[in-house]
């Protein structure tokens, strides 16, 4: 049978339980506006009853407080993280696409391509109208120079955006590293508390961890798993601790309990550029294999389809090529025909790759680096020094031949690579900075080639053979390209001739929006402009000017993406507007969905002031009743002990 004082102990447990509930309510109320705080509740149950060995068998022993736990629905956390990842990706795209859109703008406030191009063509029409005087020619050449300057500025703007995006990628990688470190530290603190305190939950620390995961989900796609830690000697017994795992980018482990991994950004050298117009120092990301020494391990795949978040948006803006990257099949392996050797004296090898993609067949569309780079041959990386483009009229095949530096590659090139896949870079199916750079480069090549060809076929005022107007500045000196290496030449029957163009040749491949310029000799002497189509005709003959004017509007003579060259801005703006609107729309949609999910999870885990006010009264009454019970039992014991003489 329980002692006479058993009731006092029962009342005491009720007092403790009510006190814990009141303290928890106070904590909830205090954190009403705390970001990331989860409402807490007291879990209690009836204490184990005592055997009394009487007719009623057992006597209740009061109440036990089992734990104080946070109210959290992990389903909504997972849904929020997934939506937040998508919103983060489109947030970056819409921010930078807005900049691209502003740069290509052409309206009453900003003079863009159409304005510059039309002024140049109007000045050309004046050359025909006003008898081709020196002043009129000079004016036209000045407007032509303005157009080249427009492309120079646009190329610089695209480079600046790419530079900004590249820097932000590094910031995001650093942020991932910081969050990983904090989560690992919290994992350790949570386990120290929960394993050493039976039933106690480190609620505040768990809230901090969830808040970090909210931030991480905006940067990259995440997956989380929490597993109970069991006793090694008795797998059925849980220790109270947990193993919390965070994976990113489709299953790559970032945090595993107390351990975490970090990543390092390493800038590409000039010999590692992927695209001709890429800025120097674009970052590749690698896992750090040893935290103590900082040793670099495997490369982190930035082009993973499940990368997600702001990081994916940034990578697609920086490297987006509309899926058009170099790829083909290895058809031949040999040695350098000129017998060149590398730094160790080893003869350079060559690898020939047949291509079939339409954008690789046209040299004007080529984006390969002219400073060398890395080529993937059957999943093995080799460094190439230069390359050449070849077309065979007999077979109709187009090939690229790369000069491989085996010493620099650290690998030997052998015949096992024959008939295997070759690629450079990756196909990023988004129209990012490389795409717009390629579009500008293609336009200036096509336009300059056609314009220069007509000029070269004409004659100046003195009857001398015409010279080119548009050129490109050399990279290493003050010279200018003369385009001595022809491309896309025709046979008498109109079929295309066999030809080979090397990356170092003086060809239109080396002309880009960045180095686009007017021939210096032409700016110094406007009379070099070939206005006449007949050397023996009089001074009023301006047939060549007519051909130049017609060229810009006649798609059958020269075109860009199936449109006349004067419609360049229309073609580009259609891409820019589509991407900008798409990014804005998707960002708004995912943001709204994310807010809805966050509101839903807040309705579950957030603090409701009205509900806590009700709880306050409820637990206050319970506390008062427990106190009253103790007071009542005190009076009983007073009478029992002092007045009955027991």
């Amino acid at each position: 049978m329980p002692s006479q004082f058993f009731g006092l102990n029962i009342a005491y447990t009720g007092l403790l339980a009510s006190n814990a509930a009141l303290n928890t309510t106070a904590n909830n109320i205090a954190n009403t506006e705390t970001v990331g705080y989860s409402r807490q509740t007291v879990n209690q149950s009836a204490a184990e009853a005592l055997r009394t060995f009487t007719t009623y068998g057992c006597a209740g022993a009061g109440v036990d407080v089992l734990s104080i736990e946070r109210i959290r629905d992990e389903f909504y956390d997972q849904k929020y993280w997934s939506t937040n990842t998508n919103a983060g990706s489109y947030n970056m795209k819409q921010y930078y696409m807005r900049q691209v859109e502003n740069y290509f703008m052409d309206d009453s406030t900003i003079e863009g391509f159409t304005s510059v191009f039309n002024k140049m063509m109007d000045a050309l029409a004046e050359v025909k109208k006003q008898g081709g005087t020196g002043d009129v020619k000079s004016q036209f050449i000045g407007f032509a120079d303005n157009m080249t300057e427009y492309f120079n500025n646009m190329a610089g703007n695209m480079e600046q955006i790419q530079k900004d995006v590249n820097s932000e990628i590094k910031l995001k990688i650093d942020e991932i590293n910081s969050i990983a470190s904090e989560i690992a530290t919290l994992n350790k603190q949570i386990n120290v508390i929960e394993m050493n305190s039976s039933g106690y939950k480190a609620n505040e620390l768990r809230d901090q961890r969830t808040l970090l995961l909210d931030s991480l989900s905006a940067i990259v796609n995440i997956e989380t798993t929490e597993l109970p830690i069991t006793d090694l000697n008795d797998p059925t017994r849980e220790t109270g601790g947990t193993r919390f795992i965070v994976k990113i980018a489709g299953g790559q482990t970032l945090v595993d309990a107390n351990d975490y991994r970090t990543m390092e950004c390493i800038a590409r050298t000039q010999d590692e550029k992927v695209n001709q117009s890429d800025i120097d120092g674009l970052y590749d990301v690698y896992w750090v294999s040893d935290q103590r020494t900082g040793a670099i391990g495997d490369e982190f795949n930035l082009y993973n389809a499940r990368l997600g978040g702001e990081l994916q948006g940034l990578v697609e803006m920086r490297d987006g090529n509309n899926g058009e990257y170099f790829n083909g099949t290895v058809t031949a392996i040999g040695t350098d025909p000129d017998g060149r050797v590398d730094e160790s004296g080893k003869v350079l090898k060559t690898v020939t790759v047949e291509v079939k993609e339409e954008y690789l067949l046209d040299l004007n569309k080529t984006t390969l680096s002219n400073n060398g780079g890395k080529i993937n041959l059957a999943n093995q990386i080799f460094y190439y020094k230069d390359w050449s483009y070849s077309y065979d009229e007999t077979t109709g095949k187009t090939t690229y031949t790369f000069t491989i530096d085996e010493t620099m590659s650290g690998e030997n090139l052998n015949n096992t690579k024959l008939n295997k896949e070759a690629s450079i870079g990756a196909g990023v199916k988004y129209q990012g900075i490389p795409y717009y750079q390629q579009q500008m480069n293609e336009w200036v090549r096509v336009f300059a080639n056609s314009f220069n060809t007509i000029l070269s076929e004409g004659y100046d005022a003195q009857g001398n053979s015409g010279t080119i107007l548009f050129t490109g500045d050399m990279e290493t000196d003050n010279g200018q390209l003369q385009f001595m290496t022809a491309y896309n030449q025709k046979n008498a029957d109109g079929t295309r001739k066999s030809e080979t163009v090397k990356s170092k040749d003086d060809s239109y491949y080396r002309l880009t929006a960045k180095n686009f310029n007017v021939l210096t000799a032409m700016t110094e002497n406007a009379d070099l402009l070939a206005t006449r189509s007949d050397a023996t005709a009089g001074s009023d003959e301006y047939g060549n000017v007519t051909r130049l004017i017609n060229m810009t509007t006649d798609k059958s003579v020269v075109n860009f993406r199936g449109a006349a060259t004067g419609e360049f801005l229309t073609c580009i703006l259609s891409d820019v507007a589509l991407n900008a609107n798409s990014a804005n729309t998707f960002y708004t949609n995912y943001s709204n969905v994310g807010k809805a999910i966050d509101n839903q999870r807040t309705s579950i885990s957030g603090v409701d002031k009205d509900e806590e006010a009700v709880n306050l009264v409820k637990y206050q009454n319970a506390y008062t009743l427990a106190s009253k019970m103790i007071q009542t039992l005190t009076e009983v014991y007073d009478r029992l002990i002092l007045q009955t003489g027991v």
Side-chain angles (χ1 to χ4, degrees):
M1 176 179 178
S3 72
Q4 295 294 332
F5 299 96
F6 188 51
L8 186 63
N9 188 69
I10 292 175
Y12 172 68
T13 62
L15 195 67
L16 291 179
S18 299
N19 185 61
L22 280 171
N23 290 338
T24 301
T25 301
N27 190 40
N28 287 340
I29 294 173
N31 286 281
T32 301
E33 303 300 329
T34 301
V35 177
Y37 177 80
S38 300
R39 177 169 58 92
Q40 297 178 13
T41 186
V42 174
N43 294 326
Q44 59 187 48
S45 67
E48 187 175 353
L50 296 179
R51 293 289 301 276
T52 60
F53 302 101
T54 60
T55 55
Y56 53 83
C58 294
V63 62
D64 283 338
V65 176
L66 301 178
S67 63
I68 299 176
E69 293 185 351
R70 63 178 190 156
I71 304 300
R72 197 89 190 184
D73 191 332
E74 293 185 359
F75 170 78
Y76 286 108
D77 284 334
Q78 297 288 345
K79 294 292 289 182
Y80 177 77
W81 294 336
S82 176
T83 304
N84 201 31
T85 296
N86 291 324
S89 176
Y90 285 107
N91 183 31
M92 292 294 100
K93 290 178 182 177
Q94 63 121 15
Y95 175 78
Y96 285 106
M97 281 308 305
R98 192 181 304 121
Q99 293 186 34
V100 174
E101 193 172 30
N102 289 337
Y103 284 135
F104 278 108
M105 189 177 295
D106 187 358
D107 56 22
S108 58
T109 60
I110 299 177
E111 187 175 70
F113 170 80
T114 301
S115 301
V116 173
F117 185 82
N118 287 341
K119 286 182 179 180
M120 182 188 74
M121 297 312 299
D122 290 343
L124 184 60
E126 289 298 317
V127 172
K128 182 177 179 180
K129 266 192 233 178
Q130 299 187 26
T133 62
D135 290 342
V136 176
K137 292 177 185 176
S138 295
Q139 187 177 32
F140 161 70
I141 293 171
F143 280 115
D145 189 56
N146 289 345
M147 189 187 72
T148 64
E149 187 175 349
Y150 165 81
F151 279 98
N152 298 160
N153 290 334
M154 286 301 301
N157 293 335
M158 294 300 106
E159 285 186 344
Q160 185 59 52
I161 294 178
Q162 192 176 48
K163 182 179 179 181
D164 292 342
V165 173
N166 191 52
S167 298
E168 193 159 358
I169 287 175
K170 187 177 189 309
L171 290 176
K172 295 304 175 184
I173 294 299
D174 291 341
E175 195 171 345
I176 291 174
N177 292 340
S178 176
I179 292 175
S181 174
E182 291 184 63
I183 291 176
T185 300
L186 286 172
N187 287 346
K188 184 175 183 179
Q189 293 174 345
I190 290 169
N191 278 337
V192 167
I193 293 172
E194 295 183 353
M195 291 179 72
N196 294 333
S197 304
S198 178
Y200 184 83
K201 295 293 183 182
N203 296 316
E204 283 74 12
L205 295 179
R206 285 179 171 271
D207 282 342
Q208 290 180 38
R209 186 171 67 186
T210 302
L211 202 57
L212 287 172
L213 291 170
D214 284 352
S215 299
L216 184 61
S217 68
I219 303 173
V220 67
N221 174 267
I222 67 171
E223 302 169 25
T224 62
T225 306
E226 188 167 16
L227 305 171
I229 299 176
T230 58
D231 190 335
L232 293 177
N233 298 320
D234 182 8
T236 62
R237 187 181 77 83
E238 296 183 1
T239 63
T242 57
R243 178 186 175 191
F244 191 80
I245 302 171
V246 180
K247 295 182 178 181
I248 63 172
Q252 301 181 67
T253 301
L254 180 69
V255 180
D256 188 344
N258 303 343
D259 298 324
Y260 67 96
R261 302 170 72 191
T262 59
M263 292 176 281
E264 183 74 23
C265 292
I266 298 179
R268 297 173 189 166
T269 65
Q270 194 176 38
D271 296 328
E272 295 174 328
K273 291 175 67 173
V274 174
N275 300 304
Q276 182 182 16
S277 297
D278 281 345
I279 64 169
D280 292 333
L282 292 184
Y283 291 118
D284 288 322
V285 181
Y286 293 83
W287 288 106
V288 175
S289 60
D290 190 328
Q291 299 286 356
R292 295 169 301 173
T293 63
I296 300 301
D298 296 333
E299 184 173 1
F300 178 77
N301 186 7
L302 290 174
Y303 309 112
N304 181 354
R306 296 181 62 189
L307 180 63
E310 295 170 339
L311 193 57
Q312 183 174 26
L314 291 169
V315 169
E316 290 183 346
M317 278 303 307
R318 189 193 74 173
D319 300 334
N321 52 22
N322 201 31
E324 298 179 353
Y325 71 110
F326 183 87
N327 64 95
T329 304
V330 177
T331 58
I333 293 175
T335 56
D336 182 63
D338 298 325
R340 291 178 296 168
V341 297
D342 59 26
E343 292 182 356
S344 66
K346 190 175 183 180
V347 177
L348 299 173
K349 292 281 188 70
T350 61
V351 57
T352 301
V353 180
E354 181 184 350
V355 297
K356 295 182 179 180
E357 299 290 349
E358 183 178 353
Y359 59 86
L360 295 174
L361 302 179
D362 186 352
L363 190 59
N364 286 327
K365 300 178 185 289
T366 297
T367 62
L368 288 175
S369 168
N370 56 336
N371 292 316
K374 294 192 293 187
I375 183 170
N376 187 326
L377 302 176
N379 294 322
Q380 199 169 8
I381 301 298
F382 290 86
Y383 281 84
Y384 69 88
K385 299 179 72 68
D386 50 43
W387 53 269
S388 63
Y389 165 97
S390 297
Y391 171 76
D392 188 333
E393 62 182 308
T394 304
T395 62
K397 293 181 178 180
T398 299
T399 58
Y400 289 78
T401 300
F402 296 86
T403 306
I404 303 298
D405 188 328
E406 291 178 302
T407 301
M408 188 175 180
S409 304
E411 304 285 351
N412 291 323
L413 180 61
N414 52 53
N415 289 334
T416 59
K417 305 301 181 186
L418 285 173
N419 302 316
K420 298 297 178 62
E421 183 181 356
S423 63
I424 296 175
V428 182
K429 293 185 178 180
Y430 188 76
Q431 293 175 348
I433 299 304
Y435 171 77
Y436 296 110
Q437 290 173 325
Q438 183 275 329
Q439 292 288 289
M440 290 192 296
N441 292 346
E442 180 184 351
W443 188 90
V444 299
R445 290 167 182 168
V446 169
F447 180 80
N449 191 354
S450 299
F451 207 94
N452 288 343
T453 298
I454 293 176
L455 287 175
S456 299
E457 293 172 352
Y459 303 90
D460 62 21
Q462 286 73 41
N464 300 316
S465 295
T467 186
I468 64 174
L469 171 64
F470 294 109
T471 182
D473 295 328
M474 296 284 196
E475 295 179 2
T476 56
D477 53 41
N478 295 325
Q480 292 183 308
L481 298 170
Q482 299 297 317
F483 307 121
M484 303 302 293
T485 302
Y487 165 67
N488 201 15
Q489 298 298 294
K490 304 295 183 182
N491 292 306
D493 60 359
T495 59
R496 187 179 173 189
K497 287 183 179 181
S498 296
E499 59 188 352
T500 296
V501 180
K502 297 181 180 180
S503 60
K504 303 297 184 182
D505 284 347
D506 186 8
S507 70
Y508 278 95
Y509 153 76
R510 295 177 61 186
L511 178 63
T512 66
K514 184 177 181 179
N515 68 2
F516 193 31
N517 207 344
V518 168
L519 191 70
T520 302
M522 192 73 74
T523 60
E524 295 173 350
N525 183 8
D527 285 333
L528 292 177
L529 186 66
T531 58
R532 299 159 62 181
S533 58
D534 186 348
T536 62
S539 59
D540 293 334
E541 196 272 318
Y542 294 101
N544 229 30
V545 176
T546 302
R547 289 183 64 195
L548 292 172
I549 293 173
N550 293 338
M551 180 205 82
T552 60
T553 57
D554 189 347
K555 293 187 292 184
S556 63
V557 177
V558 59
N559 68 79
F560 172 76
R561 291 170 55 172
T565 53
E567 298 177 25
F568 164 78
L569 189 65
T570 303
C571 297
I572 294 296
L573 277 182
S574 64
D575 296 330
V576 174
L578 179 63
N579 290 326
N581 291 335
S582 175
N584 288 332
T585 300
F586 280 109
Y587 174 66
T588 300
N589 291 343
Y590 280 117
S591 293
N592 291 337
V593 172
K595 289 175 182 176
I597 295 174
D598 192 38
N599 289 336
Q600 185 65 37
R601 70 173 184 170
T602 300
S603 70
I604 297 172
S605 62
V607 177
D608 187 312
K609 295 179 181 178
D610 294 335
E611 184 179 352
E612 296 305 321
V614 172
N615 288 340
L616 183 62
V617 175
K618 180 173 67 175
Y619 296 134
Q620 180 188 14
N621 290 337
Y623 189 90
T624 301
L625 287 173
S627 300
K628 187 66 176 176
M629 190 70 222
I630 291 176
Q631 181 182 356
T632 301
L633 289 173
T634 300
E635 294 175 0
V636 170
Y637 297 145
D638 180 64
R639 180 173 294 278
L640 178 65
I641 295 172
L642 299 180
Q643 298 183 27
T644 62
V646 177

